[in-house]
Amino acid sequence: MTKKEVHQIVKSLDSLCQDSCQKLWNHPEVGGEEKESADYFRKLLSEEGFVIVNEEQLKHAFYAEYGSGKPVIAILGEYDALPGLSQKVSDKKEAMKEGAAGHGCGHNLLGSASTVAAIAVKRFLENEGGEGTIRFYGCPEEELLSGKVKMAYYHMFDDCDMAISWHPMSTNMVYDSGYLASASAHFEFKGKSSHAAFAPEVGRSALDAVELMNVGVNYLREHVTSKARIHYTTDSGGFSPNIVPPWAGSWYFVRAPYISDVKEILERVKKVAEGASLMTETSMEMKIDYGCCELLENHAYADLAYENLKEAELPEFTEAEMEFASKLESTIASENVERARKLYDTEGLPLSTKLGARDLYQINPLTASSDSGDVSHMMPMCLISTSCWPAAVSPHTWQATASTGSSIGAKGALSAAQVMAGIAYDLYKKPEIREKIMREFCEKKEDYTPMYEA
Ligand SMILES: [Zn+2]
């Protein structure tokens, strides 16, 4: 079977891809609650002949496997929505249901395209006979940055050789590196309650500890890598000012380009918390919720992904789609529109249809975090994006939700499925490319342990 024929299989699955994108978009489920979405994909893949493997501790995570022997190729899928981003397919901000969730990050497209790619690869393997396994990974809780970290903790990625991932975005491109490493931690201080005027000398304020900790961390900012981000919120337990607060806490996110930096900064934040505890004679407990890694660079793999972006059919948009995109774009500040159109070389159009330059990731770095980064530390992983919303639109916005519910998003999804199926095709057919990718991975990889404990 030629790669063109595999691309044809993907095209023949266009209506399934569109239905799937729409079905998920109409039933957005936030991280940790993706029951219907996960069950929908389980059913679809099981009917196609995949064997479904679930993890009891993680209800909405699974993988669907077809074939036997090596290599085992994973295609990663996600399906969680974002709270508060409910939106109609409209050029005005209007919720489908006020306050409800919506697919503002396009994970309805992400899960659907990955499923379609996995089905196409399965049909290819079936036709070829011989060795080779394809797995679709149903990954929950991406927006909480925890799903794949927990899946790694439960050994769901063991025995996998290589992973393929994608994300809906403003243009068609490949990422050699990307994603900021990130960690989430809670700090809880316990003091001693007393009447704030009658016997203040008896009290030990946990809230004082939280405040001192946050002041300390604000001084720390100057002395960490300039690309680090430290965010926090506090919870003082809602005590009245006339009671010395016996309990208070703060919740921190630490992000940096590398997980090694995140771990180091978190250790220093912990020292600041210990100092605050010492100053206030309170006790302190730190709990790391999870941490996720950056995307581990693999240029050989990115080269392969880029070749496949060249060979696949990139999304082409109709005049009506361009017009809708243009209306969405008009809700965004004009300087941002100009910048995005120039960056993605859209030739004055609101939607990008070209393939971005091979090194676009360097001038357009992916500064969000994703738990997909962890997968790239366990096995080589590539990351591509396709054009699924206007160039100037950012993910996690109502404009993105509107696009991912429209035919614009579905077209981006089908293209992504073609690219991913093409990458898998090459991985099965060309062991020499696999070896090259693996060699680079082995040179760069460091010990990996998921930053999570049940
Ligand atoms: Zn996302």
Side-chain angles (χ1 to χ4, degrees), residues 359-376:
D359 59 356
L360 184 57
Y361 72 99
Q362 287 177 331
I363 45 171
N364 184 40
L366 200 52
T367 52
S369 303
S370 169
D371 58 9
S372 300
D374 279 50
V375 178
S376 77

Side-chain angles (χ1 to χ4, degrees), residues 89 91 316-328 349-351 390 406-408 411:
V89 179
D91 54 39
E316 284 176 17
F317 301 106
T318 62
E319 263 182 46
E321 285 161 345
M322 282 289 182
E323 201 179 315
F324 178 60
S326 166
K327 285 181 182 163
L328 284 175
L349 294 167
L351 291 162
S406 77
S407 55
I408 297 171
K411 283 187 175 176

Side-chain angles (χ1 to χ4, degrees), residues 133-201:
T133 305
I134 183 72
R135 279 185 191 174
F136 167 86
Y137 272 91
C139 310
E141 300 178 26
E142 193 283 329
E143 295 295 356
L144 307 178
L145 300 177
S146 53
K148 297 183 196 71
V149 184
K150 292 180 185 175
M151 289 169 80
Y153 177 81
Y154 291 116
H155 298 280
M156 291 182 77
F157 293 105
D158 290 4
D159 318 322
C160 240
D161 295 311
M162 281 178 186
I164 302 170
S165 74
W166 86 287
H167 201 288
M169 214 59 83
S170 291
T171 197
N172 312 295
M173 64 181 281
V174 66
Y175 300 83
D176 294 56
S177 59
Y179 297 140
L180 289 177
S182 170
S184 164
H186 278 84
F187 297 84
E188 192 180 309
F189 294 89
K190 281 186 186 149
K192 213 158 117 193
S193 181
S194 70
H195 192 297
F198 195 72
E201 69 281 3

Side-chain angles (χ1 to χ4, degrees), residues 60-64 75-79 136-140 151 156:
H60 312 314
F62 70 97
Y63 66 82
I75 299 183
L76 305 183
E78 295 161 13
Y79 27 72
F136 167 86
Y137 272 91
C139 310
M151 289 169 80
M156 291 182 77

Side-chain angles (χ1 to χ4, degrees), residues 14-32:
D14 187 16
S15 66
L16 171 72
C17 186
Q18 288 184 38
D19 285 355
S20 174
C21 292
Q22 207 54 54
K23 188 174 166 46
L24 264 74
W25 193 86
N26 284 327
H27 299 281
E29 296 173 302
V30 295

